[in-house]
Amino acid sequence: MEKTAIDDVEIEVNPMDVHSVRRPISDALGFTDFAMNYFELEPGESFSGGMHTHHDQEEVFYVQEGTATFDTEAGEVIVDEGEVIRFEPGDFQTGYNDTDEQVVGFAFGAPKSKHDWDQLESLVYCQECEEEIGHGLELTDDGNFRLTCTECGNTFVPP
């Protein structure tokens, strides 16, 4: 058995600096079969760095306080306090705080505690293809992301 207080879990933020509080509960307690992250999003902050999917994990977000907005391929979805939203593997989404109040929530992923980087795909504009298209994502040695277009192979590091 393992136990911790959320406030005792060290804050780890996305390398793209899109949120100020993310506490990886699954890392702190040594989860192996699902991921659990706690977030506090200030106005304008997001859960991740943009429209993306995990091909190897489903994702579930629970909004404990506030209202989160999720952009999906089907359009915008509002998730209010006390509500839950689920994304299947392969569903593109990005969630963020589009209000003037703080959002507090949790992100869960399964069937593993960490996704495989080669199973993560971001939907971004490719300058070579001149359209928004899927890009593979990898973490570089200096802690930044490198994106590679799945169509033409063009590679870039976002600012």
Side-chain angles (χ1 to χ4, degrees), residues 117-137:
W117 284 102
D118 65 347
Q119 296 296 306
L120 185 64
E121 185 178 351
S122 290
L123 195 59
V124 296
Y125 183 79
C126 176
Q127 292 182 346
E128 292 294 317
C129 296
E130 296 183 344
E131 65 180 298
E132 194 170 70
I133 197 163
H135 281 67
L137 192 68

Side-chain angles (χ1 to χ4, degrees), residues 82-97:
E83 293 184 329
V84 178
I85 188 168
R86 174 187 174 262
F87 297 98
E88 292 184 24
D91 286 349
F92 280 94
Q93 57 82 15
T94 186
Y96 52 94
N97 181 357

Side-chain angles (χ1 to χ4, degrees), residues 2-10 24-25 28-29:
E2 298 287 333
K3 177 184 169 185
T4 191
I6 290 173
D7 288 343
D8 291 341
V9 177
E10 300 253 345
I25 308 299
L29 294 179

Side-chain angles (χ1 to χ4, degrees), residues 31-49:
F31 291 11
T32 58
D33 299 323
F34 80 101
M36 178 180 181
N37 293 292
Y38 168 85
F39 288 90
E40 294 175 8
L41 302 181
E42 297 302 323
E45 293 185 338
S46 66
F47 291 102
S48 66

Side-chain angles (χ1 to χ4, degrees), residues 43-62:
E45 293 185 338
S46 66
F47 291 102
S48 66
M51 192 75 110
H52 72 286
T53 187
H54 300 267
H55 292 289
D56 62 340
Q57 278 191 324
E58 66 180 327
E59 283 191 290
V60 175
F61 294 85
Y62 166 67

Side-chain angles (χ1 to χ4, degrees), residues 47 61-70 77-85 96-97 99 101-106:
F47 291 102
F61 294 85
Y62 166 67
V63 177
Q64 182 177 354
E65 296 175 20
T67 299
T69 301
F70 285 84
V77 179
I78 303 298
V79 181
D80 290 318
E81 185 172 308
E83 293 184 329
V84 178
I85 188 168
Y96 52 94
N97 181 357
T99 72
E101 304 295 323
Q102 185 182 62
V103 170
V104 176
F106 292 86

